[in-house]
Amino acid sequence: AAHALLNAFRANKPAFGTWLTTGGFVHARSLARALVGTPQQQSWIMLDCEHGLLPLNPARATEVIAAIHGVRDGPSALVRIPATGQGVGNGSEGVNWQIKYALDAGARGVLVPMVSTPAQAREVVLSSRFPPVGRRGFGSPYTQENWDIQTAGEYLNVANESVVVLVQIETREGVQNVQAIAEVDGIDGLFIGPYDLSISLGYPPPSPDPHPQVEQVIQEILAVAHKAGKKCAMFCTSGTQAARRAAEGFDMINVTSDVGAMQSGLAAEFRAAASA
Ligand code: 3PY
């Protein structure tokens, strides 16, 4: 079952997207509709349940994801879960149940913050893929509706190849282990979080560009991902930055956020109004 982000990945075209940090389903639908008809159709929206004001409340996530996917030719909705890679391997089931809720709600993919070891990446894959690849549980009666698929059985047949599994490289340990993480089967891509990456490496956060030492690490991660045959994603905060990252070869690029776009849009209109 294809969707906008997967289409871009398969066509080797950069997929631009935006962070969704707040709001209900009306807000999410407006954001999704705003992306339809932009020059870049292969877009995505990330429900930020890590730092945004969208806690991973399954009922709410289901409504927001349904609103986005109700938009014809619209973007793919993905979920960044709250639990980090450290949520596995210490006995916590955080990553497991959060991925389950996100995917059962119909998300086209998941993003797990701060994945620092190949063991953590493998755990992410186990939670995201149905057997025989992983151990994701099967049984939601709603997921296939969101995918516009007729039966749960059909969803089971397409989910492993259609769900996009992304891990964030944004810790010093993650950088040290980046090659082994990239090589984990079932991981589709590495998503660089330049803010956490900078502070983990002992540098200030990007303002707006990363410190040159951090930039070097970013380019190394991009090269490692591609060498392993994986996609590489980058978080940006403006269209100008995003265009540059696309030209560098990034496959998936965050352009802005709901709140950021609202603020800059308002500021631009008010500046225009005052310039008369
Ligand atoms: C980071 O830059 O740390 C991110 O995770 C993107 O918000």
Side-chain angles (χ1 to χ4, degrees):
H3 53 89
L5 177 62
L6 196 60
N7 289 340
F9 278 179
R10 288 180 175 164
N12 280 318
K13 286 192 185 152
F16 294 102
T18 182
W19 241 228
L20 176 68
T21 65
T22 187
F25 67 89
V26 175
H27 178 88
R29 184 175 56 198
S30 298
L31 202 66
R33 283 193 59 83
L35 297 183
V36 176
T38 56
Q40 230 295 339
Q41 292 273 359
Q42 317 289 332
S43 56
W44 49 273
I45 292 178
M46 185 70 69
L47 279 71
D48 187 9
C49 298
E50 186 196 15
H51 290 304
L53 295 178
L54 289 162
L56 190 60
N57 168 330
R60 190 167 177 204
T62 306
E63 286 175 0
V64 169
I65 291 168
I68 293 170
H69 292 154
V71 173
R72 198 176 336 128
D73 297 327
S76 305
L78 289 87
V79 174
R80 175 160 82 165
I81 64 167
T84 67
Q86 285 137 4
V88 298
N90 64 1
S92 161
E93 286 283 285
V95 164
N96 181 290
W97 76 259
Q98 291 177 7
I99 289 176
K100 176 164 48 201
Y101 273 130
L103 295 182
D104 279 359
R108 302 304 190 246
V110 285
L111 176 61
V112 180
M114 294 196 185
V115 171
S116 300
T117 67
Q120 291 174 2
R122 267 191 293 277
E123 195 71 26
V124 168
V125 173
L126 289 176
S127 299
S128 309
R129 309 284 188 202
F130 290 121
V133 182
R135 56 157 190 248
R136 180 181 167 198
F138 173 65
S140 164
Y142 307 113
T143 315
Q144 77 274 7
E145 313 280 355
N146 189 288
W147 282 73
D148 204 15
I149 289 175
Q150 213 53 35
T151 65
E154 274 177 69
Y155 174 69
L156 181 60
N157 287 335
V158 299
N160 277 3
E161 65 193 42
S162 303
V163 163
V164 173
V165 179
L166 302 166
V167 292
Q168 280 198 269
I169 304 297
E170 50 182 354
T171 62
R172 183 184 290 275
E173 196 186 1
V175 172
Q176 281 157 1
N177 292 322
V178 66
Q179 184 165 342
I181 294 171
E183 286 169 356
V184 169
D185 278 345
I187 294 290
D188 292 307
L190 308 181
F191 196 121
I192 301 174
Y195 289 84
D196 277 316
L197 180 63
S198 299
I199 60 176
S200 174
L201 295 176
Y203 295 100
S207 64
D209 293 324
H211 185 281
Q213 297 292 326
V214 179
E215 184 57 41
Q216 202 178 320
V217 173
I218 289 170
Q219 296 301 327
E220 281 164 17
I221 298 170
L222 173 64
V224 167
H226 284 173
K227 191 147 177 271
K230 302 298 173 72
K231 300 293 182 184
C232 196
M234 182 68 187
F235 184 87
C236 296
T237 51
S238 74
T240 317
Q241 259 186 354
R244 198 182 78 218
R245 294 304 186 185
E248 288 172 3
F250 281 91
D251 307 287
M252 177 180 183
I253 303 132
N254 187 69
V255 176
T256 185
S257 71
D258 50 353
V259 173
M262 187 175 73
Q263 287 175 328
S264 61
L266 274 174
E269 295 304 336
F270 273 68
R271 270 196 306 273
S275 73

